[in-house]
Amino acid sequence: MSHLEFAVPCLFGLEGLTGDELRRMGAENVRVENGRVLFSGDETALVKANLWLRTGERVLLVLADFPATTFEELFRGVYAAPLENVIPKDGAFPVKGHCLNSRLMSVPDCQAIIKKAASRRLGEKYGLSWLPETGEKFQLQFSLMNDRAVLYLDTSGPGLHKRGYRAVGNDAPLRETLAAAMVILTRYRGREFFWDPFCGSGTIPIEAALIARNRAPGLSRRFAAESFPWIPGDLWEQARTEAKDREFHGRYRILGSDNDPKAVSLSMANARKAGVAGLIEFRDGDATKMSLPSDAGILVCNPPYGQRMMEQQSAQRLYAALGRHLRYADGWKKYVITSEPEFEHYFGRRADKKRKLYNGMIRCDYYMFTGDGKPRK
């Protein structure tokens, strides 16, 4: 199977970054859409995308794409898909998915119809009246949007944000894919001093270290597609070896600090699991009082939001104190994500740029104080 179609769902606001990542990997026919990026490729492209994507949530193989306004059309569309090419005789194939703005809006009913159509197709192809489903798992996913059904096979397993280094987060964990995107948007390449003064469970400094080192974020985890019989096992081995060979071995100045000693210990443990403990220094410190670790650098942070961990007013006081503390830190480029709509007012300065991002379901803005270009009106 050399020509395959894929979809990579991503957090809203990250689609362009995910598209760029795929193009750099050599993926073909990359198309950026709302909440997802489509591309074409072969089995090697599937392996590389899972191993290397920093901002995508998972890699889905497109099995069928057809209009469905009735259960009959849904059944026929799934039944026509060549499922026997990807699901073996004993494969388990659970179904999950979502419906949006469609005539067919009942997820359980759609699940049942898709399962029935897939079972009939596979039963006929394998000459079985009953499918054992005792083998490896082949997770089928569907999306029904605007009366169009798309059937996928999930090749990732747990979402790609699960890099394998974070066992437990702190109270308001930032998804690894979003943290990576925040670092990518600063254009950090490992040369400047990098500091996160609210490091929490260490996600931002760890993602910065993985980027500086050019380490594939999926290197220390497994993927669902590793058990697919139609993907040669040596493709995974080859891709992992190649990824290790492409790592840089420089010295980096990355600091994560937090005024909660428990968060600092947690960050250290997570950095060890990620294999980057030697690249990052973690220390206790109050972001609004500690002296700047260098004359210049890149500061990236996810300070507490009022609606999550602190009352909004206390978050606003924190932003004001941070703004006062950093008022003369002109050598630093500062990047702050928050859901506070009046952040610039409290921080005491207009951002040079801002970008809408979503932290889970929370709409946030990413404020960029880069010192280059005219401040926004």
Side-chain angles (χ1 to χ4, degrees):
M1 285 192 295
S2 54
H3 182 80
L4 304 167
E5 289 296 323
F6 300 98
V8 177
C10 44
L11 296 173
F12 286 110
L14 304 191
E15 301 92 341
L17 296 179
T18 304
D20 290 344
E21 284 196 84
L22 286 162
R23 286 185 198 98
R24 280 197 298 276
M25 269 176 232
E28 297 158 27
N29 199 15
V30 176
R31 289 98 73 208
V32 174
E33 293 186 354
N34 253 351
R36 66 176 191 169
V37 181
L38 307 173
F39 74 98
S40 314
D42 56 8
E43 291 87 343
T44 305
L46 177 160
V47 170
K48 271 165 85 171
N50 272 302
L51 207 54
W52 278 100
L53 272 175
R54 295 185 194 280
T55 60
E57 290 302 311
R58 57 184 62 246
V59 181
L60 302 172
L61 172 62
V62 179
L63 301 175
D65 182 345
F66 54 92
T69 55
T70 64
F71 287 127
E72 178 58 30
E73 284 177 340
L74 181 62
F75 183 94
R76 280 205 308 267
V78 173
Y79 178 73
L83 300 175
E84 65 284 357
N85 291 347
V86 293
I87 301 174
K89 197 185 280 193
D90 64 346
F93 51 101
V95 179
K96 65 180 179 187
H98 62 269
C99 305
L100 199 71
N101 302 336
S102 294
R103 266 168 270 192
L104 302 178
M105 284 300 284
S106 163
V107 171
D109 287 344
C110 292
Q111 270 173 308
I113 295 285
I114 289 168
K115 183 74 178 179
K116 192 173 165 191
S119 300
R120 184 175 297 177
R121 167 94 193 195
L122 291 168
E124 285 173 12
K125 291 293 171 185
Y126 290 126
L128 297 170
S129 57
W130 179 78
L131 293 158
E133 295 201 50
T134 50
E136 296 289 352
K137 182 161 107 171
F138 295 78
Q139 178 70 60
L140 292 178
Q141 267 188 234
F142 69 89
S143 83
L144 247 160
M145 231 159 87
N146 302 320
D147 293 329
R148 191 154 195 94
V150 188
L151 182 67
Y152 306 105
L153 174 65
D154 177 14
T155 74
S156 300
L160 295 182
H161 67 278
K162 295 194 170 159
R163 320 278 208 223
Y165 65 73
R166 195 168 74 182
V168 281
N170 55 349
D171 295 344
L174 188 72
R175 199 170 265 211
E176 294 84 334
T177 39
L178 179 57
M182 286 163 60
V183 176
I184 290 166
L185 286 167
T186 71
R187 298 201 162 88
Y188 172 67
R189 296 282 184 280
R191 293 185 193 92
E192 303 91 338
F193 199 108
F194 187 98
W195 178 33
D196 174 4
F198 299 92
C199 70
S201 56
T203 311
I204 293 172
I206 290 169
E207 291 298 323
L210 293 173
I211 286 168
R213 172 157 268 192
N214 196 36
R215 185 181 177 88
L219 205 51
S220 49
R221 57 159 283 177
R222 314 301 290 174
F223 301 96
E226 291 188 60
S227 61
F228 295 177
W230 46 273
I231 298 182
D234 59 355
L235 279 188
W236 292 99
E237 242 168 275
Q238 230 172 299
R240 284 195 170 98
T241 305
E242 198 181 297
K244 282 179 191 147
D245 293 344
R246 286 174 58 186
E247 285 188 17
F248 305 141
H249 297 281
R251 291 186 65 75
Y252 308 103
R253 294 169 302 156
I254 303 172
L255 171 68
S257 60
D258 202 288
N259 66 352
D260 176 1
K262 280 200 200 84
V264 174
S265 317
L266 179 60
S267 295
M268 286 172 168
N270 288 344
R272 275 195 297 276
K273 279 194 210 96
V276 293
L279 308 183
I280 310 171
E281 183 196 344
F282 288 105
R283 66 167 95 129
D284 292 357
D286 180 335
T288 64
K289 296 192 179 98
M290 66 188 278
S291 55
L292 297 178
S294 168
D295 295 339
I298 294 174
L299 179 152
V300 180
C301 65
N302 170 38
Y305 312 158
Q307 68 205 71
R308 298 292 295 276
M309 288 154 58
M310 302 164 68
E311 288 308 312
Q312 200 172 6
Q313 285 172 328
S314 114
Q316 290 162 351
R317 283 195 295 273
L318 173 68
Y319 303 152
L322 185 66
R324 284 194 298 274
H325 185 56
L326 297 175
R327 181 166 294 159
Y328 301 109
D330 292 339
W332 285 81
K333 293 182 175 181
K334 307 162 200 82
Y335 298 81
V336 184
I337 190 170
T338 173
S339 62
E340 168 57 68
E342 294 295 310
F343 173 77
E344 289 162 306
H345 166 72
Y346 296 105
F347 192 65
R349 200 184 140 192
R350 300 289 270 168
D352 301 307
K353 268 194 231 154
K354 70 177 187 177
R355 186 171 177 138
K356 187 165 54 170
L357 296 174
Y358 281 81
N359 184 5
M361 296 311 291
I362 304 172
R363 183 201 178 285
C364 296
D365 281 297
Y366 192 37
Y367 295 92
M368 311 186 200
F369 302 87
T370 56
D372 52 14
K374 295 172 188 149
R376 294 181 312 105
K377 288 277 186 297

